[in-house]
Amino acid sequence: MEEREPEKRDWVEDTREEITGMARGGMDHPSTKPVLTGLAIGALAGAVLPGLSIAIGAIAGGGFALYDRMRR
């Protein structure tokens, strides 16, 4: 008998819904503040560390914060 895999989460769809909710809800959405904090920390790290730009640091920090929120 063939076993079925448990239903997999669609990370792309979940992430799109979360970003859309953040855009519509603004600062009232529960994910907005942690993601903005991650952006700020990443931008600061990008400014301090040699070889990184502020934009790359901000994208990495925001992406990590969003990933952390989606994982919960």
Side-chain angles (χ1 to χ4, degrees):
M1 181 176 274
E2 193 173 316
E3 289 187 34
R4 293 180 141 198
E5 289 186 39
E7 189 173 323
K8 293 182 180 180
R9 290 179 60 178
D10 184 10
W11 289 98
V12 174
E13 184 66 27
D14 291 345
T15 303
R16 187 186 67 77
E17 288 177 13
E18 188 73 14
I19 292 171
T20 302
M22 287 171 48
R24 289 185 180 152
M27 292 303 287
D28 293 332
H29 194 276
S31 293
T32 302
K33 290 177 186 174
V35 171
L36 289 177
T37 302
L39 281 167
I41 291 170
L44 181 63
V48 173
L49 294 173
L52 274 178
S53 70
I54 294 174
I56 291 175
I59 291 169
F64 180 76
L66 181 63
Y67 170 75
D68 191 43
R69 292 288 298 178
M70 296 298 299
R71 199 173 57 179
R72 295 181 193 180

